[in-house]
Amino acid sequence: MKDTAIQELIASETHRQVNGVELIASENYASKEVIDTIGNVFNNKYAEGYPGKRYYGGCSVADQVESLAIDRLNTLFGCEYSNVQPHSGAQANAAIFLALLQAGDPILGFDLSHGGHLSHGSQVNFSGKMYDAHFYGVEADTGVIDMDKVADKASQVKPKLIICGASAYSQDWDYAKFREIADAVGAILLADIAHPAGMIATGLLNDPIPHCHIVSTTTHKTLRGPRGGVIMMGKDFENPWGRTTKKGNPIMMSNVLNMGVFPGMQGGPLMHVIAAKAVAFNEANSPAFESYTRQVIANAKVMADTFTDLGYKIISGGTSNHLMLLDLRHNLDISGKTADAALGKAHITVNKNMVPFDDKSPFVTSGIRIGTPAITSRGLVEQDCVQIVEWIDAVLKHVDNESFIADIKSKVEAKMSQYSVYPTL
Ligand code: DSN
């Protein structure tokens, strides 16, 4: 039965994605192979359990798909263990917390209002409701994390788990220093690399795998796969609590984490999505993907430089990765909400974002977050990024001028309609 209503909405969304400038730092355009693979017959299959140990019959092909996804992810990141079943990054984190922590245990994460993520201890999330969450943040003058202050906070709080990683932090992470801090207080260290995963996979940003006990990521941001999450470990290790099997053998962390995902956090895995994850991990292991991630960073740098030349303030003074956070209080008297709405009318999509030490609410905010993964997938390069920044600047200086914004919109759409939404590989 043809569902005209939904088909028309998908056509509208396709039109929106083709003709606009997509600058949401957590979004991307997956390849045609990934998109086509998501819609496959594994949607019909229940496969609770893990390859070779399922609770349902008929899983022999599903086993091969999941094993291939695991092998490809292990190869991509040089790790010994992967779990490819988490439905999302937040659920990957929830499974890790469930596996490692007791309710009320202290945890230490990066403050959401400074660029962290909801699932790292925010009071409105399970991670802040179930655990005793504490935070480190950035310095007001530099916008950068001071590692001595992280160490001080860890020694006060004595967390069971330290989380490094962010949704809106434009500098790289010192995973080795975080590990020193974790070891000093006996904490397990988790890196959530949901945002920079693509550039870590290609060696352009610091690698958490040798330093962090556990690493989680989404698969759809800079990794450019289907929506989903994964958990990895560089090396499996015995659980630090001395838990043993009935036979007295030590339980390895791979078992603890697998139990956290299923049956702890989830039921049946989304095998159709796991198949598409396998496709994306293979793509990410190609020279073309490495060139892509180099261009993501080059595009972000040129955007940050152009904004700075135009008088904008970028938190932490610039970017080392794929994103930047603009504090609009510095040069314009508009909120993130107003900026987001005005840019939306020009078909330039960003998100309003709190900046560190923001005086406005999360619904209003003083900033916008801008990222280059999606426009780079469409083939845009440095000179296009300068043009986009000039359009953004023009819109932000004319937020109440509808005809001016409509004129920019037609230029945006004329340009973007020339680029495919499917990255070339
Ligand atoms: N919502 C994602 C982001 O925009 O960064 C994080 O989950």
Side-chain angles (χ1 to χ4, degrees):
M1 191 170 83
K2 191 167 167 58
D3 191 328
T4 314
I6 286 295
Q7 291 311 321
E8 283 175 6
L9 290 171
I10 291 172
S12 299
E13 175 61 9
T14 303
H15 182 271
R16 190 192 71 78
Q17 291 192 17
V18 167
N19 292 294
V21 170
E22 181 53 71
L23 295 173
I24 292 180
S26 48
E27 294 189 9
N28 211 334
Y29 292 92
S31 71
K32 183 145 192 343
E33 184 82 11
V34 166
I35 296 286
D36 288 348
T37 306
I38 295 166
N40 71 68
V41 293
F42 278 108
N43 176 71
N44 305 334
K45 186 73 198 101
Y46 251 117
E48 284 184 8
Y50 290 100
K53 292 180 206 149
R54 304 284 188 186
Y55 289 81
Y56 291 84
C59 288
S60 61
V61 193
D63 280 3
Q64 293 175 59
V65 166
E66 187 166 345
S67 297
L68 195 53
I70 290 168
D71 288 348
R72 287 179 176 180
L73 186 60
N74 285 350
T75 302
L76 184 63
F77 283 94
C79 50
E80 197 170 80
Y81 160 88
S82 295
N83 186 312
V84 296
Q85 293 194 2
H87 301 335
S88 71
Q91 280 187 274
N93 289 342
I96 294 165
F97 285 29
L98 188 70
L100 304 181
L101 302 169
Q102 303 296 319
D105 275 350
I107 61 172
L108 179 61
F110 187 37
D111 194 332
L112 177 65
S113 69
H114 285 208
H117 190 254
L118 270 179
S119 65
H120 300 176
S122 165
Q123 289 307 311
V124 295
N125 183 259
F126 82 93
S127 55
K129 291 181 193 292
M130 281 188 60
Y131 307 104
D132 176 23
H134 300 263
F135 301 99
Y136 55 89
V138 298
E139 296 303 293
D141 52 345
T142 61
V144 172
I145 296 166
D146 178 334
M147 293 304 292
D148 291 337
K149 291 197 176 162
V150 178
D152 289 347
K153 192 82 179 182
S155 70
Q156 282 162 29
V157 169
K158 304 250 179 318
K160 292 268 172 57
L161 178 70
I162 297 179
I163 309 126
C164 48
S167 283
Y169 186 58
S170 56
Q171 299 306 326
D172 206 351
W173 291 77
D174 186 346
Y175 300 110
K177 183 71 190 164
F178 266 97
R179 179 58 185 262
E180 259 177 49
I181 293 169
D183 284 347
V185 298
I188 287 185
L189 179 61
L190 165 65
D192 179 344
I193 59 166
H195 269 265
M199 285 82 73
I200 291 170
T202 55
L204 300 180
L205 292 176
N206 292 338
D207 185 359
I209 298 283
H211 305 291
C212 301
H213 296 96
I214 303 167
V215 175
S216 66
T217 182
T218 54
T219 47
H220 50 276
K221 296 187 177 90
T222 52
L223 263 184
R224 212 164 66 180
R227 300 191 81 82
V230 297
I231 301 171
M232 299 176 276
M233 283 191 293
K235 281 221 162 300
D236 199 2
F237 58 102
E238 284 180 20
N239 78 87
W241 314 283
R243 288 184 207 150
T244 57
T245 62
K246 281 183 189 151
K247 290 185 181 161
N249 296 320
I251 298 176
M252 300 303 285
M253 286 304 285
S254 50
N255 292 106
V256 174
L257 290 171
N258 281 350
M259 293 287 284
V261 176
F262 171 83
M265 183 64 199
Q266 295 182 173
L270 307 178
M271 288 311 307
H272 56 307
V273 177
I274 290 174
K277 286 176 180 173
V279 170
F281 302 152
N282 196 39
E283 290 177 355
N285 213 0
S286 66
F289 189 80
E290 196 211 327
S291 306
Y292 160 70
T293 52
R294 272 188 203 286
Q295 192 65 51
V296 166
I297 294 178
N299 283 352
K301 278 199 194 314
V302 84
M303 285 186 104
D305 289 347
T306 312
F307 274 121
T308 305
D309 290 346
L310 287 167
Y312 287 80
K313 178 178 174 181
I314 295 178
I315 301 296
S316 83
T319 182
S320 304
N321 56 29
H322 61 299
L323 66 79
M324 65 213 74
L325 188 54
L326 269 53
D327 186 344
L328 299 171
R329 294 173 300 188
H330 181 71
N331 59 328
L332 298 172
D333 190 20
I334 57 171
S335 66
K337 183 180 177 190
T338 300
D340 178 338
L343 289 167
K345 288 181 193 163
H347 212 157
I348 297 173
T349 312
V350 303
N351 64 281
K352 62 180 181 234
N353 213 101
M354 298 277 276
V355 294
F357 311 101
D358 208 324
D359 55 343
K360 300 189 184 72
S361 78
F363 277 114
V364 179
T365 80
S366 296
I368 52 173
R369 185 183 65 161
I370 288 178
T372 54
I375 53 168
T376 309
S377 287
R378 297 194 69 184
L380 272 61
V381 295
E382 285 89 338
Q383 73 221 41
D384 306 303
C385 291
V386 172
Q387 168 77 89
I388 289 169
V389 171
E390 287 170 355
W391 280 332
I392 292 173
D393 177 56
V395 169
L396 296 185
K397 286 176 175 158
H398 296 84
V399 289
D400 295 322
N401 188 334
E402 297 283 337
S403 63
F404 182 88
I405 293 177
D407 185 45
I408 302 258
K409 181 185 182 192
S410 48
K411 289 180 181 147
V412 164
E413 294 191 334
K415 179 180 177 68
M416 295 314 295
S417 61
Q418 298 168 33
Y419 294 88
S420 169
V421 288
Y422 292 119
T424 42
L425 280 160

